[in-house]
Amino acid sequence: MAASSYFILVAFVALVISQATASDPSPLQDFCVADKHSGYAYSRFKSCLKVNGFVCKDPMAVNADDFFKAANLDKPRDTMKSKVGSNVTLINVMQLPGLNTLGMSLARIDYAPLGQNPPHTHPRATEILTVLEGTLYVGFVTSNTDNGNKLFAKVLNKGDVFVFPQGLIHFQFNPIHDKPAVAIAALSSQNPGAITVANAVFGSKPPISDDVLAKAFQVQKGTIDWLQAQFWENNHY
């Protein structure tokens, strides 16, 4: 193989690997504050270059407020209105424009007694969770393998930390019946996204065919119809 052909092959393989393993792209400048007039779907600044879906604010117009948000994350959130008993307060690029291109976001999660953050995934981010108050039973499930889907789970107490790998289904549950819990989560994307398993499968609009789901879950269609008729709450980050 000629040296030039070998170099091209190596470069192509490196590119494929980097695209397959990368999360948000690394910035090549100090910052690119998201212009509040732009968005993922559409921007009126058609001639401006978008970075991670947003037009960069003029650096000369950037100020400290672009990197600040009075989020009051020290204040308890109301969990009583949630069917699953949790309340997620997300700080991502949509709330804090200075996060654009920096590849990170965070969330405060409040859990009622016996409340949970039900099984979900973040397609664009790994999550690291720290328990601030209370106790949590947490875990994630591996992707499909010959040995099945393995559960990795732990009971966490105040000050403990647990990592949920990118894209894997995971959950948190407060097993204490008379005490709330609080956690803070950091995520490796400015916009991690969330796919709540129950919402996506049984609450899609329009609904997935009950023939498809009945065969997938090996249950009667009446069971699927009942599940699809429930209210599937989305409180995820």
Side-chain angles (χ1 to χ4, degrees):
M1 183 183 291
S4 59
S5 298
Y6 178 78
F7 175 79
I8 292 173
L9 176 61
V10 170
F12 175 75
V13 171
L15 176 62
V16 170
I17 292 174
S18 68
Q19 291 299 311
T21 59
S23 184
D24 291 358
S26 298
L28 298 178
Q29 57 197 47
D30 287 348
F31 50 76
C32 169
V33 172
D35 192 305
K36 292 183 178 180
H37 297 291
S38 65
Y40 280 101
Y42 176 78
S43 171
R44 62 188 177 88
F45 301 102
K46 294 182 179 180
S47 63
C48 296
L49 175 67
K50 292 184 181 180
V51 181
N52 284 12
F54 292 96
V55 174
C56 295
K57 188 175 181 179
D58 183 347
M60 299 303 294
V62 169
N63 57 60
D65 285 338
D66 292 313
F67 304 94
F68 169 79
K69 181 173 179 62
N72 297 319
L73 291 184
D74 60 322
K75 307 298 184 193
R77 266 49 177 180
D78 181 12
T79 58
M80 301 305 294
K81 297 177 181 178
S82 168
K83 270 186 93 170
V84 294
S86 65
N87 189 328
V88 178
T89 304
L90 175 65
I91 306 296
N92 67 3
V93 68
M94 304 302 291
Q95 290 80 35
L96 189 57
L99 282 174
N100 193 43
T101 75
L102 300 185
M104 61 189 303
S105 54
L106 63 84
R108 173 188 168 119
I109 314 163
D110 290 76
Y111 310 84
L114 302 180
Q116 66 169 285
N117 194 3
H120 62 284
T121 74
H122 300 298
R124 295 180 290 276
T126 291
E127 174 183 347
I128 182 167
L129 183 91
T130 303
V131 178
L132 301 182
E133 296 290 343
T135 300
L136 291 175
Y137 171 64
V138 307
F140 67 86
V141 180
T142 62
S143 54
N144 299 352
T145 67
D146 293 338
N147 297 320
N149 304 94
K150 185 173 182 180
L151 171 65
F152 291 87
K154 291 281 289 184
V155 174
L156 307 182
N157 296 302
K158 183 177 179 178
D160 290 343
V161 175
F162 199 82
V163 171
F164 306 106
Q166 179 174 338
L168 298 187
I169 294 174
H170 59 283
F171 62 88
Q172 302 109 34
F173 171 66
N174 177 7
I176 308 302
H177 74 278
D178 59 352
K179 291 184 180 179
V182 182
I184 195 85
L187 301 108
S188 62
S189 171
Q190 68 180 42
N191 190 31
I195 302 171
T196 309
V197 177
N199 298 53
V201 175
F202 299 114
S204 67
K205 295 180 177 58
I208 300 172
S209 165
D210 54 5
D211 289 313
V212 172
L213 294 181
K215 189 164 188 176
F217 287 93
Q218 296 294 289
V219 297
Q220 297 296 317
K221 287 202 296 183
T223 302
I224 297 299
D225 293 337
W226 182 86
L227 287 168
Q228 289 181 323
Q230 305 309 302
F231 172 72
W232 297 101
E233 183 171 347
N234 180 12
N235 69 330
H236 304 301
Y237 47 104

